[in-house]
Amino acid sequence: MNAHGDFLIIGSGVAGLRAALALADAGTVTILTKAEPTESNTGYAQGGIAAALGPDDSTDLHLQDTVAAGDGLCDPDAVRVLVEDGVRGVRELLEWGAAFAREADGRPSLAREGAHSVRRVLHAHDATGREIGRVLWERVVRDRRIRVLDDARASSLLVERGACRGAAYVDRAGVIREIEAGATLLATGGAGQVYRETTNPAVATGDGVAMAFLAGARVADLEFVQFHPTVLSVEGAPRFLLTEALRGEGARLINRDHEAFMARYETAGDLASRDRVARAMVREAERTGSPVYLSLAHLDAAFVRSRFPTIAQVCGEAGLDLAADPIPVSPAAHYMMGGVATDLDGRTSVRGLFAAGEVACTGVHGANRLASNSLLEGLVFGVRAAHAMTRPAQTAVWAETAEVVPIAPPEGPAPSSAAVRDLMWRQAGLVRDRVGLAGAVQQLQAWVAVSLRPDGGLPVPTGDREAASLAIVGWLIARAALRREESRGAHFRTDRPERDDIHWRRHVADVRAD
Ligand code: FAD
Ligand code: SIN
């Protein structure tokens, strides 16, 4: 028998949890989450959450920095919502007891990160996401109107006559179940696992984008994948993020000769936007034939260890002293700017289906996300989507058309997750070109066709399903990157190295053919 509820939320990161709290007064809420409830990108977020709270800051300035990072593709109305609702959302978190670091006078301590013109990042040292998740989770578990099903992996959206009426999921015993709801929110987070090197945990396999695309929802801006420049790069150690806040506090990128090289590539030096820093690092490593390093040796060692305790510990486990040693770093896939296209209230192009957080493409990030704007996005748009879910009849509409994408007939062997990740890293990563992208699209298209069930849905066994999800999202990323014949924000093509506003100041969107 199918379960019923008023509202279904898929995902228990910042967006899903905040939406659940906003919905509980309006009806019964079920959260499906595919692993432990706290396992999410949110739980690993380090640097912080941006909000215009400082004496030298304003929402206008935060908007300007966000739009500048977005490289011509942000939706200014969405950014206005982000920065203004964001101040309220962060104040609410403080009222709810978020233990952010404080100055001696009690005001929240504000950190600096790349491409922010002032200090505006609230943080819980280097474990901000864990603290935000704790505050939201504690409220969710206390609320009896919210039911959480963990180890419950959504496998497809139930769509009838163009409207979403819930989702199918696989429970921890491997049984397929259905849950019906008046409104369904995708809060499934990102897709870092599409790439061989990533900062994202294992749950970030892009399932929301894959399910939404298969259900006929519009997806957009998927060519824009952010690669974080500084990830611990030690053989055998996990690809652990080394927060940008390290450079905000004075850490420098150095080459094998201990030369701080960023100023040679970028006027903003170590605090240039992420895509620029990442590409400069690759060029420097190619030039010298050696890895590049992050150095904090010139900073006060006690400050370094107390400000970044988690990172100091992880480096220690890899045999490195964060405060003294050059720390080998390299870029890794970090964040998906595109996703399921939504309006400012989380509505998608499918009636009854909503999206918020990293899975959504609201237009706030454009071609590149400003650091620490993502936790904020989840908080702000989780609430807005929740309010809209109480009125599920409308869908979002767009002025620009989407390309209608058929799925080819199945042929050839099914992919492994590792094969998809490797292909994406080599041919659709930080530096791209037409030949590599065209090859990736062709291979991924074949993999998608052979991965799907005969009815066009995602397969059920975990391994097959993960590979299918990765192949779909990888295919959509590579297709969009091939079409965008310019370089902009996080999307860089060696065969089209310039930004081309005449032809490409627009979004690339796809929708599945019926
Ligand atoms: P998530 O927090 O990723 O939650 C997604 C949820 O969906 C998870 O519970 C997952 O298990 C569940 N899920 C996925 N698929 C399914 C399925 N099929 N069925 C059921 N459940 C499913 N951003 C900042 O703003 N500041 C930072 O300092 C920062 N640091 C970061 C550091 C790291 C290492 C990483 C990886 C990201 C960081 N980010 C940061 C980005 C930010 O953490 C994420 O973009 C944000 O937390 C996404 O929140 P979300 O709620 O959309 O998704
Ligand atoms: C970081 O701490 O460097 C990551 C911040 C972010 O992704 O916004």
Side-chain angles (χ1 to χ4, degrees), residues 368-427:
N368 207 1
R369 174 177 66 95
L370 188 65
S372 291
N373 265 356
S374 174
L375 292 168
L376 192 69
E377 181 189 25
L379 208 58
V380 165
F381 289 92
V383 173
R384 292 180 73 93
H387 292 157
M389 285 168 77
T390 61
R391 295 168 272 115
Q394 291 164 299
T395 57
V397 283
W398 288 269
E400 290 170 351
T401 53
E403 190 158 305
V404 178
V405 191
I407 291 182
E411 197 188 315
S416 66
S417 296
V420 176
R421 289 180 180 130
D422 193 55
L423 177 71
M424 289 299 291
W425 183 252
R426 286 186 289 103
Q427 290 177 224

Tab-separated table of all heavy atoms in Angstrom, residues 368-427:
chain	number	residue	atom	x	y	z
A	368	ASN	N	29.255	31.326	-11.772
A	368	ASN	CA	30.204	30.975	-10.713
A	368	ASN	C	29.666	31.447	-9.371
A	368	ASN	O	29.196	32.575	-9.254
A	368	ASN	CB	31.571	31.624	-10.967
A	368	ASN	CG	32.695	30.836	-10.350
A	368	ASN	OD1	32.472	29.790	-9.744
A	368	ASN	ND2	33.912	31.336	-10.487
A	369	ARG	N	29.745	30.599	-8.378
A	369	ARG	CA	29.175	30.947	-7.064
A	369	ARG	C	30.205	31.657	-6.201
A	369	ARG	O	31.356	31.243	-6.097
A	369	ARG	CB	28.722	29.675	-6.353
A	369	ARG	CG	28.250	29.900	-4.937
A	369	ARG	CD	27.747	28.618	-4.336
A	369	ARG	NE	28.797	27.649	-4.160
A	369	ARG	CZ	29.483	27.469	-3.032
A	369	ARG	NH1	29.221	28.205	-1.961
A	369	ARG	NH2	30.421	26.552	-2.955
A	370	LEU	N	29.744	32.701	-5.539
A	370	LEU	CA	30.572	33.371	-4.546
A	370	LEU	C	30.664	32.467	-3.309
A	370	LEU	O	29.652	31.907	-2.867
A	370	LEU	CB	29.901	34.697	-4.177
A	370	LEU	CG	30.668	35.669	-3.293
A	370	LEU	CD1	31.916	36.191	-3.991
A	370	LEU	CD2	29.770	36.846	-2.908
A	371	ALA	N	31.866	32.360	-2.754
A	371	ALA	CA	32.085	31.481	-1.589
A	371	ALA	C	31.075	31.788	-0.487
A	371	ALA	O	30.718	32.941	-0.248
A	371	ALA	CB	33.498	31.712	-1.058
A	372	SER	N	30.612	30.725	0.163
A	372	SER	CA	29.724	30.809	1.337
A	372	SER	C	28.326	31.332	1.030
A	372	SER	O	27.575	31.688	1.942
A	372	SER	CB	30.385	31.612	2.466
A	372	SER	OG	31.464	30.846	2.977
A	373	ASN	N	27.967	31.372	-0.240
A	373	ASN	CA	26.592	31.734	-0.613
A	373	ASN	C	25.683	30.509	-0.718
A	373	ASN	O	24.498	30.661	-0.987
A	373	ASN	CB	26.578	32.445	-1.977
A	373	ASN	CG	26.611	33.958	-1.826
A	373	ASN	OD1	26.576	34.475	-0.712
A	373	ASN	ND2	26.668	34.671	-2.936
A	374	SER	N	26.235	29.311	-0.530
A	374	SER	CA	25.423	28.132	-0.803
A	374	SER	C	24.603	27.691	0.403
A	374	SER	O	23.416	27.357	0.276
A	374	SER	CB	26.331	27.000	-1.257
A	374	SER	OG	25.591	25.844	-1.378
A	375	LEU	N	25.213	27.689	1.572
A	375	LEU	CA	24.434	27.401	2.783
A	375	LEU	C	23.308	28.428	2.870
A	375	LEU	O	22.166	28.112	3.227
A	375	LEU	CB	25.332	27.469	4.019
A	375	LEU	CG	26.399	26.361	4.126
A	375	LEU	CD1	27.414	26.685	5.222
A	375	LEU	CD2	25.740	25.002	4.401
A	376	LEU	N	23.650	29.669	2.517
A	376	LEU	CA	22.655	30.749	2.557
A	376	LEU	C	21.509	30.464	1.590
A	376	LEU	O	20.331	30.645	1.923
A	376	LEU	CB	23.351	32.059	2.163
A	376	LEU	CG	22.570	33.337	2.414
A	376	LEU	CD1	22.448	33.581	3.908
A	376	LEU	CD2	23.241	34.529	1.746
A	377	GLU	N	21.857	29.994	0.402
A	377	GLU	CA	20.826	29.686	-0.599
A	377	GLU	C	19.863	28.611	-0.068
A	377	GLU	O	18.645	28.726	-0.207
A	377	GLU	CB	21.476	29.195	-1.895
A	377	GLU	CG	20.436	28.887	-2.971
A	377	GLU	CD	21.021	28.198	-4.199
A	377	GLU	OE1	22.064	27.536	-4.092
A	377	GLU	OE2	20.422	28.330	-5.270
A	378	GLY	N	20.430	27.571	0.555
A	378	GLY	CA	19.585	26.495	1.089
A	378	GLY	C	18.622	27.014	2.134
A	378	GLY	O	17.432	26.666	2.160
A	379	LEU	N	19.140	27.876	2.978
A	379	LEU	CA	18.324	28.444	4.061
A	379	LEU	C	17.183	29.300	3.492
A	379	LEU	O	16.020	29.140	3.853
A	379	LEU	CB	19.262	29.334	4.886
A	379	LEU	CG	19.017	29.575	6.352
A	379	LEU	CD1	18.981	28.264	7.112
A	379	LEU	CD2	20.174	30.453	6.908
A	380	VAL	N	17.548	30.177	2.559
A	380	VAL	CA	16.571	31.135	2.016
A	380	VAL	C	15.545	30.442	1.121
A	380	VAL	O	14.329	30.604	1.290
A	380	VAL	CB	17.322	32.236	1.219
A	380	VAL	CG1	16.374	33.036	0.337
A	380	VAL	CG2	18.080	33.147	2.171
A	381	PHE	N	16.033	29.641	0.176
A	381	PHE	CA	15.101	29.082	-0.806
A	381	PHE	C	14.391	27.838	-0.264
A	381	PHE	O	13.340	27.470	-0.777
A	381	PHE	CB	15.807	28.851	-2.144
A	381	PHE	CG	16.113	30.160	-2.838
A	381	PHE	CD1	17.329	30.799	-2.656
A	381	PHE	CD2	15.158	30.782	-3.617
A	381	PHE	CE1	17.602	32.019	-3.261
A	381	PHE	CE2	15.409	32.009	-4.226
A	381	PHE	CZ	16.636	32.630	-4.048
A	382	GLY	N	14.939	27.221	0.789
A	382	GLY	CA	14.188	26.156	1.471
A	382	GLY	C	12.883	26.715	2.026
A	382	GLY	O	11.805	26.136	1.840
A	383	VAL	N	12.968	27.869	2.678
A	383	VAL	CA	11.763	28.491	3.245
A	383	VAL	C	10.800	28.931	2.139
A	383	VAL	O	9.592	28.687	2.213
A	383	VAL	CB	12.146	29.721	4.108
A	383	VAL	CG1	10.896	30.470	4.564
A	383	VAL	CG2	12.969	29.298	5.305
A	384	ARG	N	11.336	29.563	1.113
A	384	ARG	CA	10.452	30.078	0.046
A	384	ARG	C	9.742	28.933	-0.672
A	384	ARG	O	8.556	29.026	-0.985
A	384	ARG	CB	11.265	30.923	-0.939
A	384	ARG	CG	11.767	32.203	-0.334
A	384	ARG	CD	12.560	32.995	-1.331
A	384	ARG	NE	11.710	33.594	-2.348
A	384	ARG	CZ	11.209	34.827	-2.280
A	384	ARG	NH1	11.477	35.593	-1.232
A	384	ARG	NH2	10.460	35.305	-3.256
A	385	ALA	N	10.485	27.855	-0.945
A	385	ALA	CA	9.844	26.709	-1.605
A	385	ALA	C	8.760	26.137	-0.695
A	385	ALA	O	7.668	25.771	-1.154
A	385	ALA	CB	10.884	25.646	-1.942
A	386	ALA	N	9.046	26.065	0.607
A	386	ALA	CA	8.053	25.513	1.548
A	386	ALA	C	6.754	26.325	1.468
A	386	ALA	O	5.658	25.752	1.400
A	386	ALA	CB	8.618	25.533	2.967
A	387	HIS	N	6.871	27.633	1.459
A	387	HIS	CA	5.652	28.453	1.388
A	387	HIS	C	4.895	28.195	0.086
A	387	HIS	O	3.665	28.077	0.081
A	387	HIS	CB	5.989	29.938	1.550
A	387	HIS	CG	6.480	30.261	2.930
A	387	HIS	ND1	7.256	31.347	3.218
A	387	HIS	CD2	6.344	29.595	4.103
A	387	HIS	CE1	7.561	31.353	4.511
A	387	HIS	NE2	7.010	30.297	5.062
A	388	ALA	N	5.637	28.082	-1.010
A	388	ALA	CA	4.974	27.845	-2.305
A	388	ALA	C	4.349	26.452	-2.363
A	388	ALA	O	3.358	26.228	-3.077
A	388	ALA	CB	5.984	28.024	-3.445
A	389	MET	N	4.917	25.498	-1.609
A	389	MET	CA	4.385	24.121	-1.647
A	389	MET	C	2.969	24.033	-1.069
A	389	MET	O	2.254	23.064	-1.307
A	389	MET	CB	5.318	23.165	-0.883
A	389	MET	CG	6.585	22.845	-1.656
A	389	MET	SD	7.810	22.032	-0.620
A	389	MET	CE	7.158	20.363	-0.542
A	390	THR	N	2.587	25.028	-0.307
A	390	THR	CA	1.210	25.015	0.208
A	390	THR	C	0.236	25.455	-0.893
A	390	THR	O	-0.971	25.400	-0.703
A	390	THR	CB	1.071	25.937	1.447
A	390	THR	OG1	1.389	27.269	1.048
A	390	THR	CG2	1.994	25.491	2.560
A	391	ARG	N	0.786	25.919	-2.027
A	391	ARG	CA	-0.043	26.308	-3.187
A	391	ARG	C	0.563	25.647	-4.429
A	391	ARG	O	1.162	26.302	-5.269
A	391	ARG	CB	-0.018	27.838	-3.368
A	391	ARG	CG	-0.649	28.605	-2.228
A	391	ARG	CD	-0.327	30.092	-2.320
A	391	ARG	NE	0.930	30.418	-1.652
A	391	ARG	CZ	2.020	30.879	-2.248
A	391	ARG	NH1	2.068	31.084	-3.526
A	391	ARG	NH2	3.118	31.131	-1.552
A	392	PRO	N	0.452	24.316	-4.569
A	392	PRO	CA	1.255	23.610	-5.579
A	392	PRO	C	0.748	23.676	-7.022
A	392	PRO	O	1.376	23.095	-7.904
A	392	PRO	CB	1.226	22.153	-5.076
A	392	PRO	CG	-0.014	22.034	-4.291
A	392	PRO	CD	-0.336	23.394	-3.741
A	393	ALA	N	-0.343	24.387	-7.299
A	393	ALA	CA	-0.941	24.284	-8.638
A	393	ALA	C	-0.117	24.959	-9.731
A	393	ALA	O	-0.143	24.546	-10.883
A	393	ALA	CB	-2.347	24.867	-8.617
A	394	GLN	N	0.667	25.997	-9.378
A	394	GLN	CA	1.370	26.738	-10.436
A	394	GLN	C	2.699	26.075	-10.806
A	394	GLN	O	3.294	25.369	-9.992
A	394	GLN	CB	1.706	28.144	-9.937
A	394	GLN	CG	0.517	29.030	-9.747
A	394	GLN	CD	0.926	30.224	-8.894
A	394	GLN	OE1	1.351	30.086	-7.757
A	394	GLN	NE2	0.797	31.403	-9.481
A	395	THR	N	3.169	26.364	-12.037
A	395	THR	CA	4.528	25.954	-12.424
A	395	THR	C	5.302	27.206	-12.819
A	395	THR	O	4.716	28.258	-13.052
A	395	THR	CB	4.519	25.007	-13.639
A	395	THR	OG1	3.855	25.675	-14.714
A	395	THR	CG2	3.833	23.699	-13.338
A	396	ALA	N	6.615	27.065	-12.885
A	396	ALA	CA	7.440	28.195	-13.313
A	396	ALA	C	7.463	28.255	-14.841
A	396	ALA	O	7.328	27.228	-15.505
A	396	ALA	CB	8.854	28.020	-12.776
A	397	VAL	N	7.640	29.468	-15.392
A	397	VAL	CA	7.767	29.605	-16.855
A	397	VAL	C	9.009	30.432	-17.176
A	397	VAL	O	9.428	31.256	-16.368
A	397	VAL	CB	6.521	30.299	-17.489
A	397	VAL	CG1	5.356	29.350	-17.591
A	397	VAL	CG2	6.143	31.553	-16.734
A	398	TRP	N	9.600	30.197	-18.353
A	398	TRP	CA	10.817	30.903	-18.732
A	398	TRP	C	10.652	31.522	-20.120
A	398	TRP	O	9.944	30.957	-20.973
A	398	TRP	CB	12.012	29.941	-18.776
A	398	TRP	CG	12.433	29.524	-17.408
A	398	TRP	CD1	13.358	30.143	-16.625
A	398	TRP	CD2	11.923	28.414	-16.654
A	398	TRP	NE1	13.459	29.476	-15.422
A	398	TRP	CE2	12.593	28.425	-15.413
A	398	TRP	CE3	10.974	27.434	-16.881
A	398	TRP	CZ2	12.353	27.496	-14.417
A	398	TRP	CZ3	10.730	26.505	-15.900
A	398	TRP	CH2	11.404	26.532	-14.680
A	399	ALA	N	11.351	32.653	-20.321
A	399	ALA	CA	11.308	33.305	-21.627
A	399	ALA	C	12.145	32.524	-22.643
A	399	ALA	O	11.768	32.364	-23.806
A	399	ALA	CB	11.824	34.734	-21.499
A	400	GLU	N	13.310	32.006	-22.206
A	400	GLU	CA	14.199	31.302	-23.139
A	400	GLU	C	13.727	29.850	-23.309
A	400	GLU	O	13.295	29.218	-22.349
A	400	GLU	CB	15.631	31.274	-22.584
A	400	GLU	CG	16.309	32.631	-22.575
A	400	GLU	CD	17.634	32.625	-21.811
A	400	GLU	OE1	17.959	31.617	-21.150
A	400	GLU	OE2	18.334	33.631	-21.881
A	401	THR	N	13.858	29.333	-24.537
A	401	THR	CA	13.425	27.944	-24.749
A	401	THR	C	14.519	26.967	-24.291
A	401	THR	O	15.691	27.323	-24.217
A	401	THR	CB	13.153	27.663	-26.243
A	401	THR	OG1	14.305	28.064	-26.967
A	401	THR	CG2	11.917	28.368	-26.735
A	402	ALA	N	14.100	25.740	-24.011
A	402	ALA	CA	15.053	24.688	-23.639
A	402	ALA	C	15.217	23.763	-24.834
A	402	ALA	O	14.298	23.597	-25.633
A	402	ALA	CB	14.515	23.900	-22.450
A	403	GLU	N	16.417	23.159	-24.971
A	403	GLU	CA	16.606	22.168	-26.033
A	403	GLU	C	15.913	20.867	-25.613
A	403	GLU	O	16.035	20.437	-24.461
A	403	GLU	CB	18.098	21.924	-26.252
A	403	GLU	CG	18.360	21.115	-27.488
A	403	GLU	CD	19.786	21.303	-28.008
A	403	GLU	OE1	20.196	22.460	-28.245
A	403	GLU	OE2	20.470	20.286	-28.160
A	404	VAL	N	15.181	20.272	-26.553
A	404	VAL	CA	14.446	19.041	-26.242
A	404	VAL	C	15.363	17.852	-26.550
A	404	VAL	O	15.851	17.718	-27.667
A	404	VAL	CB	13.143	18.973	-27.065
A	404	VAL	CG1	12.402	17.671	-26.785
A	404	VAL	CG2	12.258	20.175	-26.720
A	405	VAL	N	15.623	17.014	-25.530
A	405	VAL	CA	16.671	15.993	-25.652
A	405	VAL	C	16.068	14.593	-25.695
A	405	VAL	O	15.470	14.143	-24.717
A	405	VAL	CB	17.609	16.063	-24.418
A	405	VAL	CG1	18.846	15.211	-24.649
A	405	VAL	CG2	17.974	17.486	-24.093
A	406	PRO	N	16.253	13.874	-26.797
A	406	PRO	CA	15.785	12.479	-26.817
A	406	PRO	C	16.812	11.561	-26.152
A	406	PRO	O	17.988	11.898	-26.083
A	406	PRO	CB	15.688	12.165	-28.310
A	406	PRO	CG	16.661	13.101	-28.958
A	406	PRO	CD	16.874	14.279	-28.058
A	407	ILE	N	16.370	10.423	-25.662
A	407	ILE	CA	17.313	9.421	-25.143
A	407	ILE	C	17.473	8.349	-26.216
A	407	ILE	O	16.487	7.831	-26.747
A	407	ILE	CB	16.807	8.852	-23.809
A	407	ILE	CG1	16.907	9.987	-22.770
A	407	ILE	CG2	17.627	7.635	-23.369
A	407	ILE	CD1	16.507	9.648	-21.383
A	408	ALA	N	18.740	8.067	-26.569
A	408	ALA	CA	19.025	7.156	-27.688
A	408	ALA	C	18.607	5.726	-27.334
A	408	ALA	O	18.495	5.387	-26.150
A	408	ALA	CB	20.522	7.202	-27.980
A	409	PRO	N	18.418	4.849	-28.344
A	409	PRO	CA	18.124	3.441	-28.032
A	409	PRO	C	19.337	2.772	-27.376
A	409	PRO	O	20.475	3.136	-27.669
A	409	PRO	CB	17.855	2.809	-29.405
A	409	PRO	CG	17.990	3.892	-30.405
A	409	PRO	CD	18.466	5.138	-29.757
A	410	PRO	N	19.095	1.793	-26.467
A	410	PRO	CA	20.227	1.177	-25.763
A	410	PRO	C	21.147	0.386	-26.692
A	410	PRO	O	20.680	-0.291	-27.590
A	410	PRO	CB	19.551	0.250	-24.748
A	410	PRO	CG	18.130	0.164	-25.130
A	410	PRO	CD	17.797	1.286	-26.037
A	411	GLU	N	22.436	0.515	-26.458
A	411	GLU	CA	23.421	-0.210	-27.266
A	411	GLU	C	24.743	-0.200	-26.508
A	411	GLU	O	25.101	0.822	-25.926
A	411	GLU	CB	23.600	0.519	-28.606
A	411	GLU	CG	24.257	-0.333	-29.660
A	411	GLU	CD	24.597	0.490	-30.901
A	411	GLU	OE1	23.754	1.273	-31.358
A	411	GLU	OE2	25.732	0.345	-31.379
A	412	GLY	N	25.449	-1.305	-26.449
A	412	GLY	CA	26.763	-1.347	-25.809
A	412	GLY	C	26.667	-1.646	-24.325
A	412	GLY	O	25.581	-1.783	-23.781
A	413	PRO	N	27.835	-1.740	-23.656
A	413	PRO	CA	27.861	-2.134	-22.243
A	413	PRO	C	27.490	-0.972	-21.308
A	413	PRO	O	27.678	0.193	-21.656
A	413	PRO	CB	29.322	-2.541	-22.018
A	413	PRO	CG	30.085	-1.802	-23.062
A	413	PRO	CD	29.169	-1.548	-24.219
A	414	ALA	N	26.966	-1.322	-20.114
A	414	ALA	CA	26.621	-0.306	-19.111
A	414	ALA	C	27.903	0.221	-18.466
A	414	ALA	O	28.906	-0.487	-18.406
A	414	ALA	CB	25.705	-0.929	-18.063
A	415	PRO	N	27.878	1.462	-17.969
A	415	PRO	CA	29.099	2.027	-17.384
A	415	PRO	C	29.265	1.634	-15.924
A	415	PRO	O	28.303	1.242	-15.279
A	415	PRO	CB	28.827	3.526	-17.448
A	415	PRO	CG	27.341	3.624	-17.263
A	415	PRO	CD	26.758	2.410	-17.940
A	416	SER	N	30.457	1.787	-15.391
A	416	SER	CA	30.656	1.758	-13.946
A	416	SER	C	30.730	3.213	-13.488
A	416	SER	O	31.025	4.112	-14.289
A	416	SER	CB	31.968	1.060	-13.600
A	416	SER	OG	33.050	1.838	-14.096
A	417	SER	N	30.490	3.435	-12.189
A	417	SER	CA	30.614	4.802	-11.652
A	417	SER	C	32.027	5.323	-11.896
A	417	SER	O	32.220	6.489	-12.272
A	417	SER	CB	30.318	4.817	-10.154
A	417	SER	OG	28.993	4.445	-9.922
A	418	ALA	N	33.024	4.455	-11.691
A	418	ALA	CA	34.420	4.892	-11.837
A	418	ALA	C	34.705	5.346	-13.265
A	418	ALA	O	35.423	6.320	-13.495
A	418	ALA	CB	35.364	3.756	-11.441
A	419	ALA	N	34.105	4.649	-14.244
A	419	ALA	CA	34.350	5.029	-15.646
A	419	ALA	C	33.763	6.409	-15.937
A	419	ALA	O	34.384	7.238	-16.619
A	419	ALA	CB	33.746	3.966	-16.572
A	420	VAL	N	32.551	6.668	-15.415
A	420	VAL	CA	31.933	7.987	-15.634
A	420	VAL	C	32.811	9.071	-15.001
A	420	VAL	O	33.124	10.095	-15.633
A	420	VAL	CB	30.512	8.051	-15.024
A	420	VAL	CG1	29.926	9.456	-15.184
A	420	VAL	CG2	29.591	7.010	-15.654
A	421	ARG	N	33.218	8.837	-13.762
A	421	ARG	CA	33.999	9.852	-13.029
A	421	ARG	C	35.313	10.168	-13.740
A	421	ARG	O	35.728	11.320	-13.831
A	421	ARG	CB	34.337	9.326	-11.638
A	421	ARG	CG	33.160	9.263	-10.752
A	421	ARG	CD	33.561	8.739	-9.385
A	421	ARG	NE	32.375	8.703	-8.582
A	421	ARG	CZ	31.973	7.658	-7.869
A	421	ARG	NH1	32.683	6.557	-7.838
A	421	ARG	NH2	30.870	7.727	-7.178
A	422	ASP	N	35.946	9.120	-14.228
A	422	ASP	CA	37.234	9.310	-14.878
A	422	ASP	C	37.070	10.102	-16.178
A	422	ASP	O	37.803	11.056	-16.448
A	422	ASP	CB	37.848	7.931	-15.144
A	422	ASP	CG	39.294	8.045	-15.507
A	422	ASP	OD1	40.034	8.648	-14.711
A	422	ASP	OD2	39.674	7.584	-16.598
A	423	LEU	N	36.048	9.722	-16.954
A	423	LEU	CA	35.795	10.424	-18.220
A	423	LEU	C	35.481	11.903	-17.958
A	423	LEU	O	36.014	12.792	-18.631
A	423	LEU	CB	34.607	9.756	-18.933
A	423	LEU	CG	34.171	10.406	-20.241
A	423	LEU	CD1	35.197	10.151	-21.337
A	423	LEU	CD2	32.810	9.892	-20.689
A	424	MET	N	34.627	12.162	-16.976
A	424	MET	CA	34.247	13.545	-16.694
A	424	MET	C	35.457	14.364	-16.248
A	424	MET	O	35.610	15.520	-16.624
A	424	MET	CB	33.150	13.589	-15.619
A	424	MET	CG	31.799	13.106	-16.088
A	424	MET	SD	31.126	14.098	-17.443
A	424	MET	CE	30.766	15.648	-16.627
A	425	TRP	N	36.308	13.751	-15.433
A	425	TRP	CA	37.484	14.482	-14.931
A	425	TRP	C	38.414	14.844	-16.090
A	425	TRP	O	38.925	15.949	-16.186
A	425	TRP	CB	38.207	13.627	-13.885
A	425	TRP	CG	39.375	14.323	-13.271
A	425	TRP	CD1	40.687	14.050	-13.477
A	425	TRP	CD2	39.329	15.431	-12.362
A	425	TRP	NE1	41.473	14.913	-12.757
A	425	TRP	CE2	40.670	15.775	-12.063
A	425	TRP	CE3	38.298	16.176	-11.782
A	425	TRP	CZ2	41.009	16.824	-11.210
A	425	TRP	CZ3	38.638	17.224	-10.927
A	425	TRP	CH2	39.969	17.533	-10.650
A	426	ARG	N	38.601	13.885	-16.995
A	426	ARG	CA	39.562	14.114	-18.086
A	426	ARG	C	38.992	15.028	-19.163
A	426	ARG	O	39.692	15.851	-19.715
A	426	ARG	CB	39.968	12.772	-18.728
A	426	ARG	CG	40.923	11.949	-17.866
A	426	ARG	CD	41.417	10.695	-18.581
A	426	ARG	NE	40.380	9.693	-18.729
A	426	ARG	CZ	39.720	9.427	-19.843
A	426	ARG	NH1	40.025	10.062	-20.961
A	426	ARG	NH2	38.770	8.506	-19.880
A	427	GLN	N	37.683	14.899	-19.465
A	427	GLN	CA	37.166	15.563	-20.673
A	427	GLN	C	36.115	16.650	-20.429
A	427	GLN	O	35.740	17.350	-21.351
A	427	GLN	CB	36.609	14.499	-21.634
A	427	GLN	CG	37.742	13.660	-22.225
A	427	GLN	CD	37.285	12.545	-23.128
A	427	GLN	OE1	37.789	11.435	-23.022
A	427	GLN	NE2	36.345	12.789	-24.031
